[in-house]
Amino acid sequence: MSTVRKLTALFFPERCPYCDELIEPCEIACERCYDEIRRKHAPIFCGAHGFRCVSAFVYDAKVRRMILRLKYHERIQYIPQIAELMAEDIRAAYGDNAFDIITCVPMHQTDLRRRGYNQSRLMAQALSSLLDIPYRDTIDKVKKTKKQHHLKYAERKTNLNGAFALIDKESIKGQRILLIDDIVTSGYTLGNCGKTLNRGKPSLICCATIASAHNKYPESTVI
Ligand SMILES: [Zn+2]
């Protein structure tokens, strides 16, 4: 931990977003609330423009804060706790031994250099260990795009045109692929990555995300 981060933790200790109790920086909630989340939690299903998707959380204010910290404040320590919940949902949604490869929605090189990590890739790699499915990079983001959440629904579709490219067509032929991202909202990002993967003729593509804000866009539910 850097000195700045240590000082920040000293003066602004982490608090559980559900009950305000002090927590460790690696925890998304205190032990009591996390147990409660685990007990009550149920997978959320949606369709992402032709691909099934399961999510662990509804994208509410607390989950939004958690994901923003994960993405922009280097809280990769959250990953083990979140991955544990996602792994349960993936098993419940798709069954055991349902996939040959886990992969993720890629970031553009410029964004990756700036942030230093792709949280969806780290999540997919954590899930790879938990579910015992090999992780592989399968898609490149070849075009820099505007952030999807800054755009209106209609613009989200065209924004991603030509954004993704398949890394190795032959290596995914006939494979069953699980595609990971952080949030599903309009479903266009997952849908576009799924279509890109389909060029390599895999036998199955399903998706999983940390959170779903999909209820805002019921139009994309069509599978
Ligand atoms: Zn709590």
Side-chain angles (χ1 to χ4, degrees):
M1 205 190 262
S2 71
T3 312
V4 174
R5 213 162 269 282
K6 274 183 193 157
L7 284 171
T8 311
L10 189 64
F11 290 107
F12 302 99
E14 291 302 311
R15 288 186 179 277
C16 171
Y18 299 91
C19 71
D20 215 33
E21 194 178 293
L22 290 176
I23 55 172
E24 296 294 325
C26 62
E27 293 175 322
I28 57 169
C30 73
E31 209 173 312
R32 197 163 39 88
C33 293
Y34 182 69
D35 283 347
E36 179 124 349
I37 292 169
R38 281 199 72 167
R39 212 174 41 248
K40 286 186 177 168
H41 133 274
I44 301 142
F45 298 99
C46 72
H49 298 280
F51 303 95
R52 291 171 69 196
C53 183
V54 65
S55 309
F57 295 94
V58 172
Y59 190 61
D60 60 15
K62 292 184 176 80
V63 172
R64 179 174 181 273
R65 183 167 152 246
M66 173 181 85
I67 292 179
L68 286 176
R69 286 176 159 197
L70 175 64
K71 282 173 85 156
Y72 303 112
H73 298 277
E74 299 173 26
R75 289 303 169 81
I76 54 174
Q77 308 100 304
Y78 286 169
I79 285 175
Q81 278 197 334
I82 304 171
E84 208 175 336
L85 295 171
M86 287 181 72
E88 278 178 29
D89 294 338
I90 290 163
R91 284 200 190 95
Y94 307 124
D96 286 329
N97 306 316
F99 302 102
D100 306 303
I101 300 171
I102 292 193
T103 193
C104 72
V105 170
M107 282 167 68
H108 190 268
Q109 276 305 322
T110 318
D111 297 329
L112 189 59
R113 265 198 300 274
R114 192 180 303 132
R115 191 177 301 163
Y117 61 96
N118 174 355
Q119 69 286 342
S120 299
R121 188 170 191 262
L122 295 177
M123 188 58 77
Q125 287 169 335
L127 287 166
S128 160
S129 313
L130 288 174
L131 296 166
D132 199 20
I133 307 166
Y135 173 83
R136 207 183 298 165
D137 289 323
T138 56
I139 315 163
D140 261 341
K141 187 161 184 191
V142 291
K143 190 180 96 175
K144 188 119 170 63
T145 55
K146 292 177 190 162
K147 291 205 184 321
Q148 285 290 88
H149 61 263
H150 291 163
L151 302 174
K152 291 196 176 74
Y153 185 76
E155 294 167 332
R156 290 182 179 218
K157 188 179 181 182
T158 49
N159 182 43
L160 294 171
N161 285 350
F164 300 107
L166 208 50
I167 292 175
D168 179 8
K169 204 172 170 180
E170 283 307 309
S171 71
I172 60 166
K173 196 171 180 183
Q175 302 288 291
R176 300 167 302 164
I177 303 176
L178 179 63
L179 174 63
I180 306 296
D181 201 5
D182 46 10
I183 310 165
V184 56
T185 304
S186 67
Y188 276 127
T189 305
L190 286 171
N192 220 298
C193 285
K195 280 174 200 151
T196 304
L197 287 170
N198 260 340
R199 289 183 206 135
K201 299 196 171 28
S203 63
L204 178 73
I205 301 168
C206 294
C207 312
T209 67
I210 300 170
S212 171
H214 193 265
N215 52 347
K216 291 184 191 165
Y217 298 99
E219 304 92 317
S220 55
T221 309
V222 186
I223 296 185

